[in-house]
Amino acid sequence: MVVEKIESTLALVKPDAFDNTENIITIIKRNGFVISERQVVTLSKERAAQFYEEHKERSFYDDLTTFMSSGPTLALVLRKADAITSWRQLMGPTNSDKARKEAPDSIRAKFGTDGSKNATHGSDSPQSAAREIAFFFPEYQHSSEFNGQDVREYLTKTVTPLLTTALTEMCRLNPSDPVEWLGHYLLKSAGISAEPAKPSKNIYFVLGGPGSGKGTQCAKLVEKLSFDHFSAGDLLRNEVSSGSEQGKMIGEMIKEGKIVPGHITLDLLRNAIDGSNAPGVLIDGFPRQLGQAGSFEKEVSDFEFVLFFDCPEEEMERRLLQRGKTSGRSDDNIDSIRKRFNTFVNTSMPVIEYYEAKGKVHKIDATMPIDTVTEAILKLF
Ligand code: ADP
Ligand code: C5P
Ligand code: MG
Protein backbone atom coordinates (compact mmCIF):
# COMPACT_ATOMS: atom_id res chain seq x y z
CA MET A 1 0.00 0.00 0.00
CA VAL A 2 1.30 3.50 -0.85
CA VAL A 3 1.89 5.57 2.26
CA GLU A 4 0.56 9.06 1.77
CA LYS A 5 1.24 11.91 4.12
CA ILE A 6 -1.27 14.70 4.19
CA GLU A 7 0.77 17.89 4.40
CA SER A 8 0.27 21.61 4.35
CA THR A 9 2.53 23.90 2.39
CA LEU A 10 2.74 27.63 1.76
CA ALA A 11 2.18 28.83 -1.77
CA LEU A 12 2.65 32.42 -2.91
CA VAL A 13 1.47 33.93 -6.15
CA LYS A 14 4.08 36.63 -6.52
CA PRO A 15 3.45 40.22 -7.75
CA ASP A 16 4.51 39.40 -11.34
CA ALA A 17 1.83 36.71 -11.66
CA PHE A 18 -0.83 38.33 -9.54
CA ASP A 19 -2.94 39.11 -12.61
CA ASN A 20 -2.96 35.36 -13.36
CA THR A 21 -4.24 34.41 -9.92
CA GLU A 22 -7.48 32.89 -11.22
CA ASN A 23 -5.67 30.69 -13.76
CA ILE A 24 -3.18 29.52 -11.15
CA ILE A 25 -5.92 28.69 -8.66
CA THR A 26 -7.70 26.65 -11.31
CA ILE A 27 -4.50 24.65 -11.90
CA ILE A 28 -4.01 24.19 -8.14
CA LYS A 29 -7.52 22.83 -7.68
CA ARG A 30 -7.35 20.65 -10.76
CA ASN A 31 -4.29 19.01 -9.22
CA GLY A 32 -6.19 17.96 -6.12
CA PHE A 33 -4.97 20.53 -3.62
CA VAL A 34 -7.31 21.84 -0.96
CA ILE A 35 -6.91 25.54 -0.32
CA SER A 36 -7.15 25.80 3.46
CA GLU A 37 -6.23 29.47 3.83
CA ARG A 38 -5.91 32.43 1.48
CA GLN A 39 -4.93 36.06 1.93
CA VAL A 40 -3.90 38.91 -0.36
CA VAL A 41 -1.08 41.04 1.07
CA THR A 42 1.24 43.72 -0.18
CA LEU A 43 4.48 43.10 1.67
CA SER A 44 6.59 45.97 2.90
CA LYS A 45 10.28 45.67 2.01
CA GLU A 46 10.96 44.86 5.68
CA ARG A 47 8.36 42.07 5.78
CA ALA A 48 9.73 40.69 2.49
CA ALA A 49 13.23 40.81 3.99
CA GLN A 50 12.01 38.88 7.04
CA PHE A 51 10.36 36.27 4.88
CA TYR A 52 13.50 35.68 2.78
CA GLU A 53 15.90 36.07 5.71
CA GLU A 54 17.68 32.81 4.86
CA HIS A 55 18.92 34.45 1.60
CA LYS A 56 20.26 37.53 3.43
CA GLU A 57 23.83 36.94 2.34
CA ARG A 58 22.97 36.22 -1.28
CA SER A 59 23.58 38.72 -4.10
CA PHE A 60 19.95 38.65 -5.29
CA TYR A 61 18.53 39.44 -1.81
CA ASP A 62 17.96 43.14 -2.37
CA ASP A 63 16.40 42.68 -5.82
CA LEU A 64 14.19 39.91 -4.52
CA THR A 65 12.81 41.87 -1.57
CA THR A 66 12.28 44.92 -3.79
CA PHE A 67 10.37 42.81 -6.27
CA MET A 68 8.31 41.04 -3.57
CA SER A 69 7.22 44.40 -2.13
CA SER A 70 6.38 45.87 -5.53
CA GLY A 71 2.73 44.74 -5.63
CA PRO A 72 0.12 42.40 -4.20
CA THR A 73 0.92 38.79 -3.36
CA LEU A 74 -1.59 36.01 -2.80
CA ALA A 75 -0.64 33.73 0.10
CA LEU A 76 -2.23 30.27 0.23
CA VAL A 77 -2.02 27.21 2.44
CA LEU A 78 -2.37 24.13 0.25
CA ARG A 79 -3.22 20.69 1.67
CA LYS A 80 -2.83 17.35 0.01
CA ALA A 81 -0.86 14.10 0.33
CA ASP A 82 2.80 15.09 -0.07
CA ALA A 83 1.75 18.69 -0.69
CA ILE A 84 5.27 20.11 -0.40
CA THR A 85 6.78 17.97 -3.16
CA SER A 86 3.65 18.06 -5.30
CA TRP A 87 3.41 21.82 -5.26
CA ARG A 88 7.09 22.20 -6.12
CA GLN A 89 6.63 19.83 -9.05
CA LEU A 90 3.61 21.73 -10.26
CA MET A 91 5.52 25.05 -10.07
CA GLY A 92 8.45 23.63 -12.07
CA PRO A 93 12.14 24.69 -11.97
CA THR A 94 12.96 27.91 -10.08
CA ASN A 95 14.11 29.75 -13.18
CA SER A 96 11.18 30.35 -15.51
CA ASP A 97 13.44 30.23 -18.62
CA LYS A 98 14.66 26.78 -17.56
CA ALA A 99 11.08 25.79 -16.72
CA ARG A 100 9.94 26.63 -20.26
CA LYS A 101 12.58 24.26 -21.60
CA GLU A 102 12.27 21.42 -19.08
CA ALA A 103 8.69 21.58 -17.88
CA PRO A 104 6.64 23.60 -20.37
CA ASP A 105 3.37 22.77 -18.63
CA SER A 106 4.56 24.03 -15.25
CA ILE A 107 3.23 27.19 -13.62
CA ARG A 108 6.56 28.98 -13.73
CA ALA A 109 6.92 28.16 -17.41
CA LYS A 110 3.52 29.62 -18.15
CA PHE A 111 3.40 32.65 -15.87
CA GLY A 112 6.96 33.50 -14.78
CA THR A 113 9.60 35.83 -16.25
CA ASP A 114 13.06 34.83 -14.98
CA GLY A 115 14.94 33.49 -11.93
CA SER A 116 13.43 35.90 -9.38
CA LYS A 117 10.26 37.00 -11.10
CA ASN A 118 9.14 33.40 -11.27
CA ALA A 119 5.38 33.66 -10.55
CA THR A 120 5.13 31.48 -7.48
CA HIS A 121 6.81 30.31 -4.30
CA GLY A 122 6.56 27.02 -2.43
CA SER A 123 8.02 25.82 0.87
CA ASP A 124 10.89 23.36 0.40
CA SER A 125 10.60 21.23 3.57
CA PRO A 126 8.15 20.53 6.39
CA GLN A 127 10.20 22.86 8.63
CA SER A 128 10.10 25.75 6.22
CA ALA A 129 6.41 25.09 5.52
CA ALA A 130 5.68 25.40 9.24
CA ARG A 131 7.67 28.64 9.49
CA GLU A 132 6.31 30.18 6.31
CA ILE A 133 2.69 29.26 7.03
CA ALA A 134 3.04 30.79 10.50
CA PHE A 135 4.50 33.95 8.87
CA PHE A 136 1.27 34.59 6.96
CA PHE A 137 -1.25 32.61 9.03
CA PRO A 138 -0.18 32.58 12.68
CA GLU A 139 -3.42 30.88 13.77
CA TYR A 140 -3.16 27.96 11.35
CA GLN A 141 -3.61 24.52 12.95
CA HIS A 142 -1.42 21.69 11.70
CA SER A 143 -2.73 19.18 14.21
CA SER A 144 -4.84 16.90 12.01
CA GLU A 145 -2.19 15.83 9.55
CA PHE A 146 -2.99 12.11 9.33
CA ASN A 147 -1.11 9.75 7.18
CA GLY A 148 -3.33 8.08 4.59
CA GLN A 149 -2.57 4.55 5.71
CA ASP A 150 -3.47 5.37 9.31
CA VAL A 151 -6.76 6.80 8.14
CA ARG A 152 -7.56 3.75 6.01
CA GLU A 153 -6.66 1.36 8.83
CA TYR A 154 -8.72 3.29 11.34
CA LEU A 155 -11.72 3.32 9.01
CA THR A 156 -11.44 -0.38 8.15
CA LYS A 157 -10.71 -1.71 11.61
CA THR A 158 -12.78 0.60 13.78
CA VAL A 159 -15.28 2.84 12.06
CA THR A 160 -16.68 0.46 9.42
CA PRO A 161 -17.37 -2.49 11.79
CA LEU A 162 -18.88 -0.18 14.40
CA LEU A 163 -21.17 1.52 11.89
CA THR A 164 -22.12 -1.81 10.29
CA THR A 165 -23.14 -3.25 13.66
CA ALA A 166 -24.91 -0.05 14.67
CA LEU A 167 -26.87 0.29 11.43
CA THR A 168 -27.81 -3.41 11.35
CA GLU A 169 -29.07 -3.15 14.92
CA MET A 170 -30.91 0.05 14.08
CA CYS A 171 -32.71 -1.53 11.11
CA ARG A 172 -33.65 -4.52 13.24
CA LEU A 173 -35.06 -2.43 16.08
CA ASN A 174 -36.59 0.22 13.84
CA PRO A 175 -36.53 2.92 16.58
CA SER A 176 -38.94 5.84 16.36
CA ASP A 177 -36.10 8.35 15.96
CA PRO A 178 -33.28 6.52 14.13
CA VAL A 179 -30.82 9.42 14.16
CA GLU A 180 -31.15 9.93 17.89
CA TRP A 181 -30.95 6.18 18.47
CA LEU A 182 -27.74 6.01 16.41
CA GLY A 183 -26.29 8.95 18.32
CA HIS A 184 -26.91 7.24 21.65
CA TYR A 185 -25.54 3.95 20.35
CA LEU A 186 -22.30 5.58 19.17
CA LEU A 187 -21.88 7.55 22.38
CA LYS A 188 -22.37 4.37 24.36
CA SER A 189 -19.81 2.55 22.20
CA ALA A 190 -17.35 5.36 22.85
CA GLY A 191 -17.92 4.92 26.58
CA ILE A 192 -19.73 8.23 26.85
CA SER A 193 -22.95 8.03 28.78
CA ALA A 194 -25.86 9.68 27.06
CA GLU A 195 -28.09 9.01 30.06
CA PRO A 196 -28.21 12.47 31.65
CA ALA A 197 -29.71 13.99 28.50
CA LYS A 198 -32.47 11.39 28.31
CA PRO A 199 -35.88 12.03 29.75
CA SER A 200 -36.93 9.21 32.05
CA LYS A 201 -39.32 6.76 30.40
CA ASN A 202 -42.54 5.38 31.73
CA ILE A 203 -42.33 1.65 31.35
CA TYR A 204 -45.34 -0.67 31.54
CA PHE A 205 -45.23 -4.47 31.59
CA VAL A 206 -48.00 -6.15 29.60
CA LEU A 207 -48.50 -9.72 30.80
CA GLY A 208 -51.01 -12.50 30.36
CA GLY A 209 -51.28 -16.00 28.99
CA PRO A 210 -50.51 -16.85 25.37
CA GLY A 211 -53.37 -15.56 23.21
CA SER A 212 -54.79 -13.29 25.90
CA GLY A 213 -54.48 -10.29 23.53
CA LYS A 214 -51.22 -8.60 24.60
CA GLY A 215 -50.01 -7.85 21.08
CA THR A 216 -53.44 -6.75 19.91
CA GLN A 217 -53.92 -4.28 22.76
CA CYS A 218 -50.38 -2.94 22.58
CA ALA A 219 -50.95 -2.05 18.93
CA LYS A 220 -54.07 -0.11 19.95
CA LEU A 221 -52.21 1.75 22.71
CA VAL A 222 -49.38 2.69 20.37
CA GLU A 223 -52.01 4.27 18.13
CA LYS A 224 -53.86 6.10 20.92
CA LEU A 225 -50.96 7.15 23.17
CA SER A 226 -47.96 7.30 20.81
CA PHE A 227 -46.19 4.79 23.01
CA ASP A 228 -43.52 2.40 21.79
CA HIS A 229 -44.25 -1.32 21.97
CA PHE A 230 -41.58 -3.97 22.33
CA SER A 231 -42.67 -7.58 22.34
CA ALA A 232 -40.13 -9.95 23.88
CA GLY A 233 -41.51 -12.73 21.68
CA ASP A 234 -41.12 -10.64 18.51
CA LEU A 235 -37.56 -9.66 19.42
CA LEU A 236 -36.71 -13.33 19.99
CA ARG A 237 -38.35 -14.33 16.71
CA ASN A 238 -36.18 -11.71 14.95
CA GLU A 239 -33.16 -13.48 16.41
CA VAL A 240 -34.45 -16.77 15.01
CA SER A 241 -34.78 -15.19 11.55
CA SER A 242 -31.15 -14.06 11.69
CA GLY A 243 -30.21 -17.75 11.34
CA SER A 244 -27.38 -17.48 13.90
CA GLU A 245 -26.47 -20.41 16.18
CA GLN A 246 -28.12 -18.57 19.05
CA GLY A 247 -31.16 -18.00 16.81
CA LYS A 248 -31.46 -21.74 16.18
CA MET A 249 -31.37 -22.46 19.90
CA ILE A 250 -34.05 -19.80 20.53
CA GLY A 251 -36.21 -21.28 17.75
CA GLU A 252 -36.14 -24.70 19.41
CA MET A 253 -37.08 -23.25 22.79
CA ILE A 254 -39.99 -21.26 21.35
CA LYS A 255 -41.41 -24.35 19.67
CA GLU A 256 -41.23 -26.16 23.00
CA GLY A 257 -42.87 -23.24 24.85
CA LYS A 258 -39.78 -22.86 27.03
CA ILE A 259 -38.41 -19.63 28.46
CA VAL A 260 -35.29 -18.43 26.67
CA PRO A 261 -32.37 -17.53 29.04
CA GLY A 262 -33.22 -14.16 30.53
CA HIS A 263 -29.97 -12.36 29.66
CA ILE A 264 -30.66 -12.81 25.93
CA THR A 265 -34.14 -11.30 26.13
CA LEU A 266 -32.99 -8.62 28.52
CA ASP A 267 -30.24 -7.45 26.14
CA LEU A 268 -32.69 -7.29 23.25
CA LEU A 269 -35.15 -5.27 25.30
CA ARG A 270 -32.49 -2.98 26.71
CA ASN A 271 -31.33 -2.06 23.20
CA ALA A 272 -34.88 -1.48 22.05
CA ILE A 273 -35.72 0.68 25.07
CA ASP A 274 -32.49 2.67 24.67
CA GLY A 275 -33.59 3.54 21.17
CA SER A 276 -37.01 4.72 22.19
CA ASN A 277 -37.98 8.33 22.54
CA ALA A 278 -41.66 7.77 23.20
CA PRO A 279 -43.38 9.05 26.37
CA GLY A 280 -44.26 5.49 27.35
CA VAL A 281 -42.89 2.06 26.56
CA LEU A 282 -44.99 -1.12 26.59
CA ILE A 283 -42.99 -4.27 27.29
CA ASP A 284 -45.08 -7.17 26.06
CA GLY A 285 -44.45 -10.71 27.32
CA PHE A 286 -41.71 -9.86 29.79
CA PRO A 287 -40.84 -10.64 32.58
CA ARG A 288 -41.90 -14.23 32.08
CA GLN A 289 -39.98 -15.55 35.06
CA LEU A 290 -39.20 -14.16 38.53
CA GLY A 291 -35.47 -13.91 37.77
CA GLN A 292 -36.22 -11.79 34.68
CA ALA A 293 -38.25 -9.37 36.77
CA GLY A 294 -35.41 -8.83 39.23
CA SER A 295 -32.79 -8.43 36.49
CA PHE A 296 -34.85 -5.88 34.59
CA GLU A 297 -35.44 -3.71 37.64
CA LYS A 298 -31.81 -3.96 38.70
CA GLU A 299 -30.13 -3.55 35.33
CA VAL A 300 -32.53 -1.61 33.12
CA SER A 301 -35.20 0.43 34.78
CA ASP A 302 -37.96 0.89 37.23
CA PHE A 303 -41.48 0.52 35.84
CA GLU A 304 -44.92 2.04 36.42
CA PHE A 305 -47.27 -0.94 36.64
CA VAL A 306 -48.23 -4.32 35.19
CA LEU A 307 -51.22 -4.76 32.90
CA PHE A 308 -52.40 -8.33 33.42
CA PHE A 309 -54.77 -9.76 30.83
CA ASP A 310 -56.93 -12.34 32.54
CA CYS A 311 -58.32 -14.92 30.13
CA PRO A 312 -59.36 -18.58 30.54
CA GLU A 313 -57.31 -21.23 28.77
CA GLU A 314 -60.18 -22.40 26.54
CA GLU A 315 -60.57 -18.88 25.09
CA MET A 316 -56.82 -18.46 24.64
CA GLU A 317 -56.60 -21.85 22.95
CA ARG A 318 -59.46 -20.97 20.59
CA ARG A 319 -57.76 -17.66 19.67
CA LEU A 320 -54.34 -19.21 19.17
CA LEU A 321 -55.62 -22.00 16.94
CA GLN A 322 -57.44 -19.37 14.92
CA ARG A 323 -54.31 -17.19 14.80
CA GLY A 324 -52.25 -20.25 13.78
CA LYS A 325 -54.12 -20.45 10.47
CA THR A 326 -52.29 -17.35 9.25
CA SER A 327 -49.52 -16.46 11.70
CA GLY A 328 -46.89 -18.86 10.38
CA ARG A 329 -45.64 -19.19 13.97
CA SER A 330 -43.95 -22.46 14.83
CA ASP A 331 -45.69 -22.47 18.24
CA ASP A 332 -49.29 -21.80 17.19
CA ASN A 333 -50.16 -25.52 17.05
CA ILE A 334 -51.97 -27.55 19.67
CA ASP A 335 -48.83 -29.33 20.95
CA SER A 336 -46.85 -26.13 21.47
CA ILE A 337 -49.89 -24.27 22.83
CA ARG A 338 -50.35 -26.85 25.61
CA LYS A 339 -46.67 -26.58 26.52
CA ARG A 340 -46.92 -22.78 26.57
CA PHE A 341 -49.92 -22.92 28.90
CA ASN A 342 -47.91 -25.14 31.24
CA THR A 343 -45.00 -22.74 31.27
CA PHE A 344 -47.34 -19.83 31.83
CA VAL A 345 -49.01 -21.42 34.87
CA ASN A 346 -45.83 -22.75 36.45
CA THR A 347 -43.27 -20.08 35.60
CA SER A 348 -44.98 -16.85 34.57
CA MET A 349 -47.95 -16.65 36.93
CA PRO A 350 -45.60 -16.35 39.93
CA VAL A 351 -44.33 -13.06 38.44
CA ILE A 352 -47.86 -11.67 38.35
CA GLU A 353 -48.52 -12.87 41.89
CA TYR A 354 -45.27 -11.30 43.04
CA TYR A 355 -46.18 -7.91 41.61
CA GLU A 356 -49.79 -8.24 42.77
CA ALA A 357 -48.50 -8.57 46.31
CA LYS A 358 -46.66 -5.30 45.78
CA GLY A 359 -49.82 -3.57 44.51
CA LYS A 360 -48.37 -3.06 41.02
CA VAL A 361 -50.90 -5.04 38.95
CA HIS A 362 -53.96 -3.83 37.05
CA LYS A 363 -56.05 -6.85 36.10
CA ILE A 364 -58.06 -6.56 32.89
CA ASP A 365 -60.86 -8.88 31.79
CA ALA A 366 -59.41 -9.91 28.45
CA THR A 367 -62.45 -11.89 27.34
CA MET A 368 -64.31 -8.73 26.35
CA PRO A 369 -64.36 -7.52 22.73
CA ILE A 370 -61.12 -5.92 21.59
CA ASP A 371 -62.32 -2.29 21.70
CA THR A 372 -63.93 -2.75 25.12
CA VAL A 373 -60.65 -4.05 26.47
CA THR A 374 -58.85 -1.04 24.99
CA GLU A 375 -61.29 1.38 26.63
CA ALA A 376 -60.78 -0.29 30.00
CA ILE A 377 -57.03 0.00 29.66
CA LEU A 378 -57.07 3.63 28.54
CA LYS A 379 -58.72 4.59 31.82
CA LEU A 380 -55.51 3.59 33.58
CA PHE A 381 -53.35 6.12 31.72
P1 ADP B 1 -50.86 -12.47 22.66
O1 ADP B 1 -49.97 -11.42 22.13
O2 ADP B 1 -51.28 -12.21 24.05
O3 ADP B 1 -50.32 -13.85 22.49
P2 ADP B 1 -52.58 -11.66 20.46
O4 ADP B 1 -52.79 -10.22 20.68
O5 ADP B 1 -51.69 -12.09 19.36
O6 ADP B 1 -52.21 -12.42 21.80
O7 ADP B 1 -54.01 -12.27 20.21
C1 ADP B 1 -54.17 -13.65 19.86
C2 ADP B 1 -55.33 -13.77 18.87
O8 ADP B 1 -56.54 -13.42 19.51
C3 ADP B 1 -55.20 -12.83 17.70
O9 ADP B 1 -55.56 -13.53 16.54
C4 ADP B 1 -56.18 -11.71 18.00
O10 ADP B 1 -56.75 -11.19 16.83
C5 ADP B 1 -57.21 -12.38 18.85
N1 ADP B 1 -57.73 -11.48 19.91
C6 ADP B 1 -57.04 -10.63 20.66
N2 ADP B 1 -57.82 -10.00 21.56
C7 ADP B 1 -59.07 -10.49 21.37
C8 ADP B 1 -60.34 -10.25 21.99
N3 ADP B 1 -60.48 -9.37 22.98
N4 ADP B 1 -61.40 -10.92 21.53
C9 ADP B 1 -61.27 -11.81 20.54
N5 ADP B 1 -60.12 -12.10 19.90
C10 ADP B 1 -59.03 -11.44 20.30
O1 C5P C 1 -45.09 -13.55 23.90
P1 C5P C 1 -45.01 -14.53 22.79
O2 C5P C 1 -46.20 -15.46 22.75
O3 C5P C 1 -44.74 -13.89 21.49
O4 C5P C 1 -43.74 -15.44 23.11
C1 C5P C 1 -43.39 -16.54 22.29
C2 C5P C 1 -42.29 -17.38 22.93
O5 C5P C 1 -41.11 -16.63 23.08
C3 C5P C 1 -42.58 -17.89 24.31
O6 C5P C 1 -43.44 -18.99 24.32
C4 C5P C 1 -41.19 -18.25 24.79
O7 C5P C 1 -40.72 -19.44 24.22
C5 C5P C 1 -40.39 -17.09 24.22
N1 C5P C 1 -40.25 -16.00 25.22
C6 C5P C 1 -39.30 -16.15 26.22
N2 C5P C 1 -39.12 -15.18 27.16
C7 C5P C 1 -39.89 -14.09 27.15
C8 C5P C 1 -40.86 -13.91 26.12
C9 C5P C 1 -41.02 -14.92 25.17
O8 C5P C 1 -38.62 -17.17 26.26
N3 C5P C 1 -39.71 -13.15 28.08
MG1 MG D 1 -47.99 -11.60 21.29
Side-chain angles (χ1 to χ4, degrees):
M1 190 186 288
V2 181
V3 178
E4 292 171 334
K5 172 118 176 54
I6 301 290
E7 284 177 333
S8 301
T9 190
L10 183 82
L12 297 179
V13 178
K14 298 182 180 181
D16 62 320
F18 191 80
D19 289 345
N20 285 304
T21 293
E22 287 315 311
N23 292 329
I24 293 172
I25 284 181
T26 304
I27 296 171
I28 287 172
K29 288 188 177 164
R30 209 189 301 135
N31 279 273
F33 289 93
V34 173
I35 297 176
S36 299
E37 302 286 341
R38 60 195 292 166
Q39 185 193 159
V40 175
V41 281
T42 300
L43 294 170
S44 63
K45 192 152 159 75
E46 292 69 36
R47 281 284 281 163
Q50 271 171 8
F51 184 75
Y52 285 112
E53 202 177 10
E54 63 187 298
H55 298 312
K56 200 157 65 186
E57 307 303 330
R58 312 281 290 270
S59 56
F60 57 79
Y61 183 61
D62 190 53
D63 281 352
L64 178 61
T65 52
T66 303
F67 159 61
M68 285 303 289
S69 53
S70 67
T73 291
L74 173 69
L76 302 169
V77 175
L78 306 183
R79 271 174 70 84
K80 173 181 165 165
D82 291 318
I84 295 171
T85 311
S86 284
W87 172 234
R88 290 181 75 79
Q89 251 167 21
L90 193 59
M91 289 192 297
T94 306
N95 189 312
S96 293
D97 291 327
K98 191 175 169 202
R100 277 183 275 277
K101 282 186 205 126
E102 294 176 8
D105 289 332
S106 66
I107 289 177
R108 281 171 169 156
K110 286 181 182 158
F111 305 109
T113 314
D114 54 33
S116 284
K117 297 189 177 79
N118 59 356
T120 51
H121 165 85
S123 312
D124 59 10
S125 67
Q127 292 72 24
S128 70
R131 184 186 76 80
E132 292 176 357
I133 289 171
F135 186 91
F136 286 96
F137 305 99
E139 309 286 315
Y140 186 73
Q141 298 285 336
H142 289 262
S143 53
S144 57
E145 316 240 315
F146 291 109
N147 135 346
Q149 190 177 19
D150 289 348
V151 172
R152 265 191 295 274
E153 267 180 27
Y154 183 68
L155 289 174
T156 320
K157 288 189 181 156
T158 309
V159 179
T160 308
L162 175 65
L163 283 179
T164 306
T165 311
L167 293 172
T168 307
E169 191 67 0
M170 191 179 84
C171 292
R172 206 165 63 76
L173 297 176
N174 193 18
S176 53
D177 185 338
V179 173
E180 181 161 3
W181 184 92
L182 187 62
H184 283 303
Y185 186 99
L186 294 174
L187 284 172
K188 220 167 135 192
S189 307
I192 301 165
S193 170
E195 296 312 318
K198 273 195 198 169
S200 65
K201 289 183 186 98
N202 291 326
I203 290 179
Y204 306 91
F205 291 141
V206 182
L207 301 177
S212 59
K214 300 183 294 295
T216 305
Q217 292 302 328
C218 285
K220 293 269 182 190
L221 298 179
V222 164
E223 221 176 84
K224 303 260 183 205
L225 302 171
S226 301
F227 280 9
D228 271 342
H229 163 216
F230 301 119
S231 152
D234 285 348
L235 292 171
L236 291 168
R237 280 184 286 276
N238 285 344
E239 284 299 294
V240 178
S241 320
S242 78
S244 65
E245 276 311 304
Q246 179 169 279
K248 281 182 200 141
M249 180 270 283
I250 295 171
E252 286 304 313
M253 295 192 81
I254 287 180
K255 210 164 139 201
E256 291 302 309
K258 291 184 179 158
I259 305 290
V260 173
H263 69 273
I264 297 177
T265 321
L266 193 68
D267 280 350
L268 294 168
L269 282 171
R270 196 198 331 257
N271 274 335
I273 294 167
D274 277 354
S276 167
N277 210 21
V281 175
L282 302 166
I283 309 287
D284 157 3
F286 184 98
R288 237 19 182 242
Q289 205 173 28
L290 275 173
Q292 293 185 351
S295 306
F296 187 94
E297 287 187 66
K298 200 161 127 229
E299 295 175 34
V300 182
S301 170
D302 199 2
F303 70 100
E304 302 302 304
F305 56 78
V306 175
L307 274 180
F308 167 48
F309 292 175
D310 192 22
C311 196
E313 271 189 15
E314 313 80 73
E315 172 63 7
M316 295 195 288
E317 184 177 304
R318 189 191 64 73
R319 291 182 188 177
L320 290 176
L321 289 174
Q322 184 63 25
R323 189 178 72 180
K325 291 178 185 165
T326 52
S327 69
R329 280 177 55 160
S330 64
D331 58 352
D332 277 351
N333 58 76
I334 193 64
D335 266 7
S336 297
I337 289 168
R338 294 268 154 82
K339 288 176 183 163
R340 291 157 71 194
F341 284 165
N342 244 331
T343 304
F344 177 68
V345 171
N346 295 321
T347 312
S348 304
M349 263 319 281
V351 175
I352 290 149
E353 285 156 8
Y354 168 73
Y355 283 133
E356 209 154 30
K358 291 180 138 200
K360 299 274 272 180
V361 175
H362 289 285
K363 189 157 140 178
I364 305 288
D365 177 2
T367 59
M368 299 184 292
I370 292 175
D371 287 341
T372 315
V373 176
T374 310
E375 277 167 34
I377 298 170
L378 283 172
K379 289 189 186 131
L380 300 171
F381 289 94

